[in-house]
PDB file of all heavy atoms in Angstrom:
ATOM      1  N   ILE A  28     105.430 252.770  -5.477  1.00 97.00           N
ATOM      2  CA  ILE A  28     105.900 253.719  -4.468  1.00 97.00           C
ATOM      3  C   ILE A  28     106.334 255.050  -5.068  1.00 97.00           C
ATOM      4  O   ILE A  28     105.892 256.113  -4.626  1.00 97.00           O
ATOM      5  CB  ILE A  28     107.061 253.101  -3.664  1.00 97.00           C
ATOM      6  CG1 ILE A  28     106.564 251.856  -2.941  1.00 97.00           C
ATOM      7  CG2 ILE A  28     107.625 254.096  -2.689  1.00 97.00           C
ATOM      8  CD1 ILE A  28     107.670 250.995  -2.396  1.00 97.00           C
ATOM      9  N   GLU A  29     107.164 254.994  -6.060  1.00 96.00           N
ATOM     10  CA  GLU A  29     107.708 256.236  -6.601  1.00 96.00           C
ATOM     11  C   GLU A  29     106.622 257.153  -7.158  1.00 96.00           C
ATOM     12  O   GLU A  29     106.559 258.332  -6.775  1.00 96.00           O
ATOM     13  CB  GLU A  29     108.768 255.923  -7.663  1.00 96.00           C
ATOM     14  CG  GLU A  29     109.775 257.042  -7.815  1.00 96.00           C
ATOM     15  CD  GLU A  29     110.950 256.639  -8.692  1.00 96.00           C
ATOM     16  OE1 GLU A  29     110.766 256.506  -9.915  1.00 96.00           O
ATOM     17  OE2 GLU A  29     112.048 256.434  -8.154  1.00 96.00           O
ATOM     18  N   PRO A  30     105.753 256.664  -8.035  1.00 96.00           N
ATOM     19  CA  PRO A  30     104.660 257.513  -8.516  1.00 96.00           C
ATOM     20  C   PRO A  30     103.779 258.056  -7.388  1.00 96.00           C
ATOM     21  O   PRO A  30     103.394 259.230  -7.407  1.00 96.00           O
ATOM     22  CB  PRO A  30     103.870 256.570  -9.420  1.00 96.00           C
ATOM     23  CG  PRO A  30     104.862 255.580  -9.895  1.00 96.00           C
ATOM     24  CD  PRO A  30     105.815 255.387  -8.768  1.00 96.00           C
ATOM     25  N   LEU A  31     103.452 257.201  -6.423  1.00 97.00           N
ATOM     26  CA  LEU A  31     102.619 257.665  -5.317  1.00 97.00           C
ATOM     27  C   LEU A  31     103.334 258.747  -4.511  1.00 97.00           C
ATOM     28  O   LEU A  31     102.717 259.728  -4.083  1.00 97.00           O
ATOM     29  CB  LEU A  31     102.241 256.498  -4.399  1.00 97.00           C
ATOM     30  CG  LEU A  31     101.235 255.487  -4.950  1.00 97.00           C
ATOM     31  CD1 LEU A  31     101.015 254.350  -3.969  1.00 97.00           C
ATOM     32  CD2 LEU A  31      99.922 256.170  -5.290  1.00 97.00           C
ATOM     33  N   ALA A  32     104.615 258.554  -4.325  1.00 96.00           N
ATOM     34  CA  ALA A  32     105.402 259.549  -3.587  1.00 96.00           C
ATOM     35  C   ALA A  32     105.359 260.889  -4.326  1.00 96.00           C
ATOM     36  O   ALA A  32     105.146 261.942  -3.718  1.00 96.00           O
ATOM     37  CB  ALA A  32     106.840 259.071  -3.433  1.00 96.00           C
ATOM     38  N   ARG A  33     105.526 260.855  -5.627  1.00 95.00           N
ATOM     39  CA  ARG A  33     105.426 262.091  -6.420  1.00 95.00           C
ATOM     40  C   ARG A  33     104.080 262.744  -6.185  1.00 95.00           C
ATOM     41  O   ARG A  33     103.985 263.937  -5.931  1.00 95.00           O
ATOM     42  CB  ARG A  33     105.607 261.778  -7.910  1.00 95.00           C
ATOM     43  CG  ARG A  33     107.045 261.820  -8.373  1.00 95.00           C
ATOM     44  CD  ARG A  33     107.144 261.935  -9.898  1.00 95.00           C
ATOM     45  NE  ARG A  33     106.582 260.776 -10.602  1.00 95.00           N
ATOM     46  CZ  ARG A  33     107.272 259.679 -10.892  1.00 95.00           C
ATOM     47  NH1 ARG A  33     108.536 259.588 -10.547  1.00 95.00           N
ATOM     48  NH2 ARG A  33     106.716 258.678 -11.536  1.00 95.00           N
ATOM     49  N   ARG A  34     103.039 261.934  -6.307  1.00 94.00           N
ATOM     50  CA  ARG A  34     101.674 262.404  -6.121  1.00 94.00           C
ATOM     51  C   ARG A  34     101.489 263.031  -4.743  1.00 94.00           C
ATOM     52  O   ARG A  34     100.741 263.990  -4.591  1.00 94.00           O
ATOM     53  CB  ARG A  34     100.748 261.196  -6.264  1.00 94.00           C
ATOM     54  CG  ARG A  34      99.325 261.515  -6.593  1.00 94.00           C
ATOM     55  CD  ARG A  34      98.750 260.359  -7.391  1.00 94.00           C
ATOM     56  NE  ARG A  34      97.369 260.061  -7.069  1.00 94.00           N
ATOM     57  CZ  ARG A  34      96.616 259.235  -7.812  1.00 94.00           C
ATOM     58  NH1 ARG A  34      97.122 258.657  -8.881  1.00 94.00           N
ATOM     59  NH2 ARG A  34      95.367 258.984  -7.487  1.00 94.00           N
ATOM     60  N   LEU A  35     102.137 262.481  -3.755  1.00 94.00           N
ATOM     61  CA  LEU A  35     101.977 262.970  -2.389  1.00 94.00           C
ATOM     62  C   LEU A  35     102.993 264.060  -2.057  1.00 94.00           C
ATOM     63  O   LEU A  35     102.955 264.633  -0.962  1.00 94.00           O
ATOM     64  CB  LEU A  35     102.118 261.813  -1.398  1.00 94.00           C
ATOM     65  CG  LEU A  35     100.993 260.768  -1.412  1.00 94.00           C
ATOM     66  CD1 LEU A  35     101.361 259.557  -0.579  1.00 94.00           C
ATOM     67  CD2 LEU A  35      99.678 261.373  -0.928  1.00 94.00           C
ATOM     68  N   GLY A  36     103.909 264.297  -2.977  1.00 94.00           N
ATOM     69  CA  GLY A  36     104.874 265.365  -2.756  1.00 94.00           C
ATOM     70  C   GLY A  36     105.965 265.050  -1.746  1.00 94.00           C
ATOM     71  O   GLY A  36     106.449 265.937  -1.048  1.00 94.00           O
ATOM     72  N   VAL A  37     106.358 263.774  -1.678  1.00 95.00           N
ATOM     73  CA  VAL A  37     107.488 263.399  -0.828  1.00 95.00           C
ATOM     74  C   VAL A  37     108.447 262.518  -1.642  1.00 95.00           C
ATOM     75  O   VAL A  37     108.143 262.149  -2.773  1.00 95.00           O
ATOM     76  CB  VAL A  37     107.026 262.608   0.424  1.00 95.00           C
ATOM     77  CG1 VAL A  37     106.261 263.513   1.372  1.00 95.00           C
ATOM     78  CG2 VAL A  37     106.170 261.419   0.003  1.00 95.00           C
ATOM     79  N   THR A  38     109.566 262.194  -1.058  1.00 95.00           N
ATOM     80  CA  THR A  38     110.491 261.295  -1.749  1.00 95.00           C
ATOM     81  C   THR A  38     110.126 259.860  -1.423  1.00 95.00           C
ATOM     82  O   THR A  38     109.516 259.578  -0.389  1.00 95.00           O
ATOM     83  CB  THR A  38     111.946 261.543  -1.315  1.00 95.00           C
ATOM     84  OG1 THR A  38     112.006 261.449   0.105  1.00 95.00           O
ATOM     85  CG2 THR A  38     112.401 262.911  -1.777  1.00 95.00           C
ATOM     86  N   LYS A  39     110.505 258.964  -2.291  1.00 95.00           N
ATOM     87  CA  LYS A  39     110.125 257.570  -2.100  1.00 95.00           C
ATOM     88  C   LYS A  39     110.765 256.971  -0.853  1.00 95.00           C
ATOM     89  O   LYS A  39     110.228 256.064  -0.236  1.00 95.00           O
ATOM     90  CB  LYS A  39     110.479 256.752  -3.336  1.00 95.00           C
ATOM     91  CG  LYS A  39     111.937 256.801  -3.741  1.00 95.00           C
ATOM     92  CD  LYS A  39     112.156 255.999  -5.011  1.00 95.00           C
ATOM     93  CE  LYS A  39     113.609 256.095  -5.473  1.00 95.00           C
ATOM     94  NZ  LYS A  39     113.910 255.134  -6.541  1.00 95.00           N
ATOM     95  N   GLY A  40     111.916 257.528  -0.475  1.00 94.00           N
ATOM     96  CA  GLY A  40     112.575 257.045   0.735  1.00 94.00           C
ATOM     97  C   GLY A  40     111.676 257.134   1.949  1.00 94.00           C
ATOM     98  O   GLY A  40     111.682 256.247   2.818  1.00 94.00           O
ATOM     99  N   SER A  41     110.874 258.161   2.010  1.00 95.00           N
ATOM    100  CA  SER A  41     110.046 258.383   3.196  1.00 95.00           C
ATOM    101  C   SER A  41     108.958 257.322   3.340  1.00 95.00           C
ATOM    102  O   SER A  41     108.422 257.100   4.427  1.00 95.00           O
ATOM    103  CB  SER A  41     109.410 259.761   3.136  1.00 95.00           C
ATOM    104  OG  SER A  41     108.246 259.737   2.346  1.00 95.00           O
ATOM    105  N   PHE A  42     108.629 256.697   2.248  1.00 96.00           N
ATOM    106  CA  PHE A  42     107.633 255.618   2.287  1.00 96.00           C
ATOM    107  C   PHE A  42     107.992 254.581   3.335  1.00 96.00           C
ATOM    108  O   PHE A  42     107.129 254.085   4.064  1.00 96.00           O
ATOM    109  CB  PHE A  42     107.534 254.964   0.913  1.00 96.00           C
ATOM    110  CG  PHE A  42     106.771 253.675   0.906  1.00 96.00           C
ATOM    111  CD1 PHE A  42     105.388 253.664   0.821  1.00 96.00           C
ATOM    112  CD2 PHE A  42     107.438 252.457   1.001  1.00 96.00           C
ATOM    113  CE1 PHE A  42     104.682 252.471   0.822  1.00 96.00           C
ATOM    114  CE2 PHE A  42     106.740 251.258   1.015  1.00 96.00           C
ATOM    115  CZ  PHE A  42     105.360 251.272   0.916  1.00 96.00           C
ATOM    116  N   TYR A  43     109.277 254.282   3.400  1.00 96.00           N
ATOM    117  CA  TYR A  43     109.730 253.176   4.233  1.00 96.00           C
ATOM    118  C   TYR A  43     109.717 253.494   5.721  1.00 96.00           C
ATOM    119  O   TYR A  43     110.065 252.675   6.544  1.00 96.00           O
ATOM    120  CB  TYR A  43     111.104 252.698   3.775  1.00 96.00           C
ATOM    121  CG  TYR A  43     111.014 252.013   2.438  1.00 96.00           C
ATOM    122  CD1 TYR A  43     111.111 252.749   1.242  1.00 96.00           C
ATOM    123  CD2 TYR A  43     110.755 250.654   2.350  1.00 96.00           C
ATOM    124  CE1 TYR A  43     110.993 252.126   0.018  1.00 96.00           C
ATOM    125  CE2 TYR A  43     110.640 250.028   1.123  1.00 96.00           C
ATOM    126  CZ  TYR A  43     110.755 250.771  -0.034  1.00 96.00           C
ATOM    127  OH  TYR A  43     110.621 250.149  -1.247  1.00 96.00           O
ATOM    128  N   TRP A  44     109.345 254.700   6.035  1.00 95.00           N
ATOM    129  CA  TRP A  44     109.129 254.955   7.446  1.00 95.00           C
ATOM    130  C   TRP A  44     107.769 254.394   7.862  1.00 95.00           C
ATOM    131  O   TRP A  44     107.597 253.868   8.942  1.00 95.00           O
ATOM    132  CB  TRP A  44     109.207 256.454   7.757  1.00 95.00           C
ATOM    133  CG  TRP A  44     109.560 256.644   9.186  1.00 95.00           C
ATOM    134  CD1 TRP A  44     110.800 256.752   9.727  1.00 95.00           C
ATOM    135  CD2 TRP A  44     108.637 256.677  10.277  1.00 95.00           C
ATOM    136  NE1 TRP A  44     110.724 256.849  11.080  1.00 95.00           N
ATOM    137  CE2 TRP A  44     109.410 256.813  11.460  1.00 95.00           C
ATOM    138  CE3 TRP A  44     107.258 256.619  10.382  1.00 95.00           C
ATOM    139  CZ2 TRP A  44     108.832 256.880  12.721  1.00 95.00           C
ATOM    140  CZ3 TRP A  44     106.671 256.673  11.643  1.00 95.00           C
ATOM    141  CH2 TRP A  44     107.460 256.813  12.801  1.00 95.00           C
ATOM    142  N   HIS A  45     106.812 254.420   6.939  1.00 96.00           N
ATOM    143  CA  HIS A  45     105.446 254.001   7.248  1.00 96.00           C
ATOM    144  C   HIS A  45     105.176 252.533   6.967  1.00 96.00           C
ATOM    145  O   HIS A  45     104.342 251.923   7.616  1.00 96.00           O
ATOM    146  CB  HIS A  45     104.451 254.848   6.459  1.00 96.00           C
ATOM    147  CG  HIS A  45     104.578 256.313   6.722  1.00 96.00           C
ATOM    148  ND1 HIS A  45     104.117 256.905   7.867  1.00 96.00           N
ATOM    149  CD2 HIS A  45     105.154 257.305   6.003  1.00 96.00           C
ATOM    150  CE1 HIS A  45     104.376 258.198   7.841  1.00 96.00           C
ATOM    151  NE2 HIS A  45     105.006 258.462   6.716  1.00 96.00           N
ATOM    152  N   PHE A  46     105.851 251.986   5.970  1.00 96.00           N
ATOM    153  CA  PHE A  46     105.586 250.604   5.572  1.00 96.00           C
ATOM    154  C   PHE A  46     106.883 249.829   5.402  1.00 96.00           C
ATOM    155  O   PHE A  46     107.916 250.410   5.080  1.00 96.00           O
ATOM    156  CB  PHE A  46     104.816 250.583   4.243  1.00 96.00           C
ATOM    157  CG  PHE A  46     103.473 251.245   4.316  1.00 96.00           C
ATOM    158  CD1 PHE A  46     103.335 252.588   4.016  1.00 96.00           C
ATOM    159  CD2 PHE A  46     102.351 250.517   4.684  1.00 96.00           C
ATOM    160  CE1 PHE A  46     102.093 253.202   4.076  1.00 96.00           C
ATOM    161  CE2 PHE A  46     101.105 251.126   4.745  1.00 96.00           C
ATOM    162  CZ  PHE A  46     100.971 252.467   4.439  1.00 96.00           C
ATOM    163  N   LYS A  47     106.748 248.531   5.589  1.00 96.00           N
ATOM    164  CA  LYS A  47     107.901 247.656   5.431  1.00 96.00           C
ATOM    165  C   LYS A  47     108.353 247.637   3.971  1.00 96.00           C
ATOM    166  O   LYS A  47     109.533 247.779   3.666  1.00 96.00           O
ATOM    167  CB  LYS A  47     107.539 246.240   5.892  1.00 96.00           C
ATOM    168  CG  LYS A  47     108.698 245.254   5.875  1.00 96.00           C
ATOM    169  CD  LYS A  47     108.248 243.905   6.436  1.00 96.00           C
ATOM    170  CE  LYS A  47     109.119 242.767   5.921  1.00 96.00           C
ATOM    171  NZ  LYS A  47     108.872 242.444   4.485  1.00 96.00           N
ATOM    172  N   ASP A  48     107.395 247.432   3.088  1.00 95.00           N
ATOM    173  CA  ASP A  48     107.724 247.393   1.658  1.00 95.00           C
ATOM    174  C   ASP A  48     106.437 247.559   0.848  1.00 95.00           C
ATOM    175  O   ASP A  48     105.368 247.793   1.416  1.00 95.00           O
ATOM    176  CB  ASP A  48     108.433 246.091   1.293  1.00 95.00           C
ATOM    177  CG  ASP A  48     107.638 244.873   1.758  1.00 95.00           C
ATOM    178  OD1 ASP A  48     106.436 245.036   2.065  1.00 95.00           O
ATOM    179  OD2 ASP A  48     108.196 243.781   1.812  1.00 95.00           O
TER     180      ASP A  48
END
Side-chain angles (χ1 to χ4, degrees):
Chain A
I28 298 166
E29 205 170 71
L31 289 177
R33 271 198 297 272
R34 201 150 142 169
L35 291 170
V37 291
T38 54
K39 57 182 177 169
S41 83
F42 168 84
Y43 290 88
W44 204 90
H45 302 284
F46 298 92
K47 184 176 156 287
D48 53 16

